[in-house]
């Protein structure tokens, strides 16, 4: 049963209740509108010739898929002219992208992972778009983006799964909207999403086990020991390899997601990127009553040093995140 509250109505109500300004509401609408187009491209797949490799690499040294590049360009094109942002930054661009001179500058900065879970595109498994919105600052554009996650004024993701869903927080809880393809609108279907404090489900890429640090080794060994171990209960495991899909599962039924620091490349403190993956997801998870740390500190409290900086991520049900974080201090 779908509700009759559209994203437009939800944003209008939030403006009337004065915790959202007009430009921020318009920016969220513009991001959502663009993600409907990305959803169309994703769902067309081979019919539109959008699967496969782009034949290029990004600044992270990762091969780009065609859809990584297409989704990135759609977001740039969908937002540049709006007068709502003064710059955009993305996983797929080495430097922040200024707004072309012919368009007005806006009060916000937009960061995004245009297509998260790229390894799943060609095998028709869920992918998503992650976004983070900050207030514009002073000085050189790129340095304006380097604000702690706690400064985000809104964050969200769009999951391109069996349903296309927008999950959004403007700092007043977390709301889930399902795209109604008949009218092209996101409709509020999951109001005030909250993460259960306890869980029996974890998500980690077990193939990296030999590279993990001791606290993570200990925590996962205890989960695997199940009923016969110190936890006294059995745990189940999931790994989609799309952070958007894992976080959505956790927002829906609880769980813990970890992409911890590992010893594969000592120069990288984790795989995921702080600015457009970990920060927006941590903001959502905290807004839903969960927790998100790098093993020691709240992710949203970290002072960023670079647009593409990586971070260890442990997020989800509060009791579990607190336990594994505690192990890092023992
Ligand atoms: P992206 O496709 O944007 O590069 O991000 C993929 C991320 C994340 O979504 C997922 O949790 C993780 O990488 C999967 O990594 P592994 O392939 O190492 O499991
Ligand atoms: Mn990603
Ligand atoms: Mn990506």
């Amino acid at each position: 049963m779908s509700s009759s509250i559209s994203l437009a109505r939800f944003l209008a109500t939030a403006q009337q209740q004065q915790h959202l300004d007009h430009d921020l509401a318009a920016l969220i609408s513009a991001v959502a509108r663009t993600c409907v187009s990305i959803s169309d491209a994703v769902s067309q797949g081979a019919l539109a010739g959008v699967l496969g490799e782009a034949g290029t690499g990004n600044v992270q040294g990762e091969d780009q898929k065609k859809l990584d590049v297409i989704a990135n360009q759609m977001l740039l094109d969908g937002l540049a002219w709006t007068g709502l942002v003064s710059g955009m930054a993305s996983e797929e661009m080495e430097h922040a992208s200024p707004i072309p001179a012919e368009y007005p500058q806006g009060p916000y900065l937009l960061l995004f992972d245009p297509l998260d879970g790229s390894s799943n595109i060609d095998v028709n498994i869920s992918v998503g778009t992650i976004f983070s919105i900050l207030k514009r600052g002073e000085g050189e554009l790129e340095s304006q983006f380097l604000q702690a996650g706690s400064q985000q004024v809104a964050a969200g993701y769009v999951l391109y799964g069996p349903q296309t869903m927008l999950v959004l927080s403007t700092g007043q809880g977390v709301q889930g909207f399902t795209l109604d393809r008949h009218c092209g609108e996101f409709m509020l279907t999951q109001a005030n999403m909250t993460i259960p404090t306890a869980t029996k489900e974890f998500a980690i890429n077990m193939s990296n086990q030999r590279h993990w640090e001791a606290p993570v080794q200990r925590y996962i060994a205890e989960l695997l020991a199940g009923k016969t171990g110190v936890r006294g209960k059995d745990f189940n495991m999931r790994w989609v390899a799309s952070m958007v899909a894992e976080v959505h599962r956790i927002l829906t039924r609880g769980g813990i997601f970890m992409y911890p620091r590992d010893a594969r490349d000592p120069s990288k403190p984790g795989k995921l990127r702080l600015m457009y993956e970990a920060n927006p997801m941590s903001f959502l998870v905290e807004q839903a009553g969960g927790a998100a740390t790098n093993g020691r500190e709240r992710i949203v409290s970290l002072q960023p040093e670079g647009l593409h900086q990586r971070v260890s991520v442990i997020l989800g049900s509060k009791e579990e995140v607190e336990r594994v974080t505690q192990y890092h201090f023992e």
Side-chain angles (χ1 to χ4, degrees):
M1 203 21 211
S2 89
S3 86
S4 56
I5 300 179
S6 63
L7 176 66
R9 178 170 163 187
F10 173 84
L11 293 171
T13 307
Q15 283 179 69
Q16 288 150 16
Q17 292 168 352
Q18 303 197 330
H19 71 261
L20 208 63
D21 74 49
H22 175 270
D23 284 350
L24 182 53
L27 175 51
I28 292 167
S29 296
V31 171
R33 195 167 57 233
T34 304
C35 288
V36 173
S37 304
I38 297 175
S39 175
D40 286 341
V42 168
S43 68
Q44 284 287 301
L47 297 175
V50 295
L51 302 185
E53 304 295 326
T56 47
N58 65 15
V59 65
Q60 338 268 335
E62 298 162 344
D63 291 334
Q64 292 172 306
K65 301 280 184 185
K66 283 184 193 166
L67 270 170
D68 287 323
V69 177
I70 292 168
N72 190 68
Q73 196 59 47
M74 285 172 115
L75 282 159
L76 292 176
D77 294 346
L79 276 300
W81 52 270
T82 59
L84 300 168
V85 290
S86 58
M88 291 181 265
S90 148
E91 176 186 344
E92 308 303 341
M93 304 185 296
E94 181 168 8
H95 296 293
S97 171
I99 300 305
E102 68 255 46
Y103 302 127
Q105 304 285 311
Y108 292 104
L109 302 170
L110 179 67
L111 286 133
F112 45 85
D113 177 352
L115 225 286
D116 173 67
S118 308
S119 74
N120 285 322
I121 292 170
D122 294 345
V123 289
N124 197 8
I125 293 173
S126 298
V127 292
T129 296
I130 309 172
F131 63 92
S132 163
I133 302 174
L134 295 162
K135 285 203 174 111
R136 176 178 76 187
E138 298 294 321
E140 191 262 326
L141 179 64
E142 199 148 308
S143 64
Q144 294 182 32
F145 283 87
L146 304 182
Q147 305 178 36
S150 54
Q151 300 299 307
Q152 292 170 103
V153 291
Y157 61 79
V158 177
L159 171 62
Y160 312 114
Q163 302 103 47
T164 288
M165 284 195 68
L166 165 69
V167 173
L168 170 72
S169 179
T170 57
Q172 309 275 328
V174 178
Q175 316 302 329
F177 302 82
T178 304
L179 178 62
D180 183 339
R181 291 191 187 273
H182 297 122
C183 61
E185 287 219 64
F186 282 102
M187 304 302 292
L188 181 64
T189 45
Q190 275 88 347
N192 302 313
M193 298 175 85
T194 51
I195 301 175
T197 50
T199 182
K200 289 180 162 188
E201 204 160 58
F202 69 99
I204 193 165
N205 185 337
M206 287 293 298
S207 71
N208 299 322
Q209 181 170 23
R210 70 190 183 284
H211 304 295
W212 299 336
E213 295 179 327
V216 174
Q217 295 282 4
R218 172 186 170 192
Y219 176 72
I220 297 294
E222 289 176 2
L223 301 191
L224 294 177
K227 262 199 184 95
T228 58
V230 293
R231 299 302 305 272
K233 62 177 182 180
D234 290 332
F235 284 79
N236 199 0
M237 197 197 90
R238 290 287 184 275
W239 186 252
V240 185
S242 284
M243 190 193 200
V244 170
E246 321 283 2
V247 169
H248 191 70
R249 185 184 61 248
I250 289 169
L251 283 167
T252 305
R253 67 180 189 206
I256 179 168
F257 167 90
M258 306 173 71
Y259 212 119
R261 167 194 278 273
D262 67 45
R264 276 176 293 172
D265 179 350
S267 71
K268 291 181 184 168
K271 176 182 180 183
L272 299 174
R273 282 60 53 110
L274 175 64
M275 300 301 296
Y276 41 79
E277 291 176 321
N279 268 343
M281 291 311 208
S282 299
F283 186 81
L284 289 168
V285 164
E286 288 192 355
Q287 282 290 322
T293 77
N294 65 354
R296 294 174 179 278
E297 293 166 274
R298 278 172 75 208
I299 286 172
V300 296
S301 72
L302 301 173
Q303 175 56 48
E305 284 161 7
L307 269 186
H308 302 289
Q309 143 179 13
R310 293 174 192 261
V311 65
S312 169
V313 175
I314 299 167
L315 59 76
S317 294
K318 207 167 196 166
E319 282 180 11
E320 296 301 318
V321 174
E322 282 173 357
R323 176 184 282 262
V324 59
T325 301
Q326 178 61 32
Y327 287 1
H328 284 76
F329 291 97
E330 286 174 14

